[in-house]
Amino acid sequence: MHSIWLGVEDEGEYGKLAAWILEECEENCKLVDEENDIHIAIIEVNKWHDWVKIHRFRKRNKGCRIIPLLAPSLLHTSPLAIEFKLTYLLVKSVKQRIFLRTLKRAVEEIESENTRFAESEEVFHHFDAAQAVGRNTLPFREAFLRRLLSGEVKTEEELLQSRFFLPGEAVPNVVCFIQGFVRCPAKRMQEGWQASTVIQEFLKKQFEGDQLTFLSYRKHLLMLLQVPSEYGSLKHWKEGEERILGTIESLENEYGIQLYIGVGSIYREPLLLHHSYKEACKARRTSPYERLQLRYFEEITMDLQIQKCAEYISQYCTEDLSIKQVADQINLSVPYFSRIFKQETGRSFVEYVTFVRMQRGVWLLRHTDHTVEAIAEELGYNTPNYFSGTFKKYVGLSPRDYRATEEIIFV
């Protein structure tokens, strides 16, 4: 007598399946309430994490035949049945003849001790051809990485289970935060290309053979890299840095795409990768030490006094700030403050304040309908022409030309 356990929460579905088993398989099958020492388990999959539960169930019940009962909304996750080496798969609401045929095959397999796995067309024989999907675990990979970057993955067990979501791939150890704009939207529309696709294709080509994953995250693009173990920073991996800088240059020359990338620190412990994401965001929005297009979190000053001054500048950048006024915030003389400020930020006080103002100007031009004249006044410039000239020096475009560009939204 073969024991069958129904791991189905839906009462209606449970009652239907139980009735079919009792009516048609009463001679050699019985229903049990406990999930121990069972021969066949039919387990409901209503959310992606239910696959993790199935993985855990298999570890506890190694001799058990598991038949997932998949919600139609999760058809795209069906390749995981193959990854888990499961022989059968059902989709709700399953028809009686398909359910009984699948169950009888499982029973026959047990009785004959034939452990071969069915061919892929047998595994999904009850799928409509139009609904069948390839062996693509992308949804699971993205879901796992989103949880990893948000800090929701907290145990080593979850990391071990991720091998089913990242088949053959190592977990990345650094995050790059990518934003950008297209200089000529009309040309892009005429030629019919999508900036997001072009960017990813260029970077994939540059990093061919390396571990590379892209993730659209809150309108931005994250590039997750596996930096070789001999390097403590992406900045030290000169070959990788040159590939990124080469991509930035090529995209600007060929497509008029301007990229700005912030890079977090390397974390060899995957559970800490969410720190790299936060650092990459901060690096993207901080005055660059060396170059505007590629900024590293490690270049941001860790000096608490200078950090305090930077926060003060950000808060009062639209006012007529003097270097003495800021130096007084940390009780330093102007000459000494000027020297350590440039040493820590890579910019003179005037350059730094100007950059912060231009950063504010970029946001106002993109997200408000204020005139250039009004923005210049809001940022503390006496004349719009002086603001426009300064803006072009830092951004590479006049304020009006920048407003005509198209922000790249990664979805």
Side-chain angles (χ1 to χ4, degrees):
M1 184 70 69
H2 304 293
S3 57
I4 301 175
W5 178 71
L6 292 177
V8 179
E9 295 181 2
D10 185 320
E11 293 183 2
E13 195 76 23
Y14 182 97
K16 179 180 68 175
L17 300 181
W20 290 346
I21 293 171
L22 294 174
E23 290 173 6
E24 302 292 335
C25 307
E26 188 176 8
E27 293 182 1
N28 58 356
C29 294
K30 64 176 180 178
L31 280 174
V32 294
D33 296 329
E34 297 182 358
E35 52 179 285
N36 297 319
D37 298 323
I38 54 178
H39 300 103
I40 299 172
I42 300 166
I43 302 177
E44 199 172 28
V45 179
N46 288 320
K47 50 186 181 297
W48 76 266
H49 193 67
D50 288 338
W51 285 109
V52 176
K53 294 180 181 178
I54 287 178
H55 172 60
R56 293 171 179 167
F57 184 91
R58 289 179 68 221
K59 291 174 68 176
R60 297 193 305 267
N61 302 274
K62 294 184 178 180
C64 180
R65 268 64 174 180
I66 300 174
I67 305 175
L69 182 61
L70 193 63
S73 61
L74 291 177
L75 273 175
H76 61 278
T77 71
S78 59
L80 282 178
I82 298 176
E83 293 290 340
F84 283 27
K85 298 182 179 179
L86 301 180
T87 310
Y88 301 106
L89 179 67
L90 297 173
V91 180
K92 297 195 312 188
S93 284
V94 61
K95 294 180 180 179
Q96 183 177 5
R97 61 179 179 81
I98 293 176
F99 174 77
L100 293 175
R101 181 171 62 187
T102 302
L103 188 59
K104 288 177 180 178
R105 285 187 178 183
V107 170
E108 290 171 1
E109 183 178 314
I110 294 171
E111 291 177 345
S112 64
E113 296 184 353
N114 180 7
T115 57
R116 69 176 181 82
F117 297 115
E119 298 294 330
S120 58
E121 61 267 21
E122 292 178 291
V123 175
F124 303 112
H125 62 84
H126 56 285
F127 278 16
D128 183 88
Q131 293 178 318
V133 294
R135 293 186 61 178
N136 176 22
T137 58
L138 179 62
F140 272 75
R141 182 164 71 247
E142 290 189 353
F144 172 75
L145 290 173
R146 289 178 193 279
R147 295 184 65 240
L148 193 64
L149 294 180
S150 66
E152 294 177 18
V153 179
K154 299 183 182 297
T155 66
E156 294 291 340
E157 183 182 4
E158 288 180 279
L159 286 175
L160 290 174
Q161 291 161 356
S162 73
R163 69 183 183 272
F164 295 108
F165 312 147
L166 303 169
E169 299 180 21
V171 176
N173 54 35
V174 69
V175 178
C176 300
F177 183 96
I178 302 175
Q179 288 180 297
F181 62 82
V182 178
R183 288 178 179 266
C184 186
K187 181 174 181 292
R188 181 195 67 76
M189 293 180 67
Q190 184 179 9
E191 295 177 354
W193 47 267
Q194 294 296 323
S196 175
T197 302
V198 170
I199 292 167
Q200 293 181 53
E201 287 176 350
F202 268 61
L203 287 167
K204 283 178 182 177
K205 185 175 180 180
Q206 286 285 351
F207 286 92
E208 188 174 0
D210 291 291
Q211 299 292 349
L212 180 69
T213 305
F214 292 104
L215 191 65
S216 298
Y217 201 70
R218 298 172 183 172
K219 297 198 308 182
H220 313 300
L221 180 66
L222 302 183
M223 180 172 70
L224 288 74
L225 277 170
Q226 177 66 248
V227 175
S229 58
E230 60 265 32
Y231 302 103
S233 164
L234 177 57
K235 186 177 182 180
H236 300 152
W237 185 29
K238 290 303 179 183
E239 182 182 353
E241 183 184 67
E242 288 171 4
R243 292 175 188 176
I244 293 175
L245 292 173
T247 299
I248 292 172
E249 183 178 0
S250 297
L251 287 170
E252 185 174 5
N253 293 337
E254 296 181 35
Y255 289 89
I257 294 175
Q258 183 65 62
L259 289 188
Y260 299 96
I261 303 176
V263 183
S265 304
I266 289 177
Y267 286 88
R268 302 296 177 186
E269 170 52 62
L271 292 177
L272 301 178
L273 191 65
H274 61 282
H275 293 305
S276 187
Y277 163 65
K278 293 176 182 176
E279 293 170 357
C281 294
K282 187 173 183 179
R284 165 65 189 94
R285 299 184 175 100
T286 302
S287 173
Y289 191 93
E290 184 177 354
R291 58 175 68 86
L292 186 63
Q293 287 80 12
L294 188 60
R295 315 177 207 179
Y296 294 94
F297 175 78
E298 63 201 73
E299 293 175 342
I300 299 175
T301 178
M302 295 293 110
D303 187 294
L304 295 179
Q305 289 186 312
I306 299 302
Q307 286 182 357
K308 181 179 178 181
C309 292
E311 291 172 3
Y312 185 86
I313 292 170
S314 179
Q315 186 175 356
Y316 296 103
C317 67
T318 58
E319 299 181 9
D320 188 17
L321 277 178
S322 68
I323 189 170
K324 184 178 186 308
Q325 183 180 346
V326 179
D328 286 345
Q329 299 301 311
I330 53 175
N331 300 315
L332 293 180
S333 67
V334 169
Y336 182 66
F337 170 76
S338 179
R339 184 167 66 254
I340 66 167
F341 188 85
K342 185 167 186 178
Q343 177 182 318
E344 290 293 326
T345 67
R347 293 179 178 271
S348 69
F349 173 78
V350 173
E351 289 174 332
Y352 188 92
V353 172
T354 303
F355 176 85
V356 173
R357 285 175 172 172
M358 293 304 102
Q359 199 172 38
R360 183 78 58 86
V362 163
W363 191 92
L364 291 169
L365 287 165
R366 181 71 72 195
H367 299 285
T368 74
D369 57 359
H370 299 173
T371 64
V372 173
E373 291 75 14
I375 292 174
E377 183 178 355
E378 185 174 342
L379 295 177
Y381 289 92
N382 294 326
T383 65
N385 287 340
Y386 183 59
F387 164 67
S388 296
T390 306
F391 188 92
K392 187 170 184 178
K393 176 183 175 182
Y394 277 77
V395 180
L397 296 170
S398 71
R400 286 186 172 81
D401 288 342
Y402 177 79
R403 180 166 263 172
T405 64
E406 177 183 69
E407 181 182 11
I408 301 173
I409 305 296
F410 299 92
V411 294

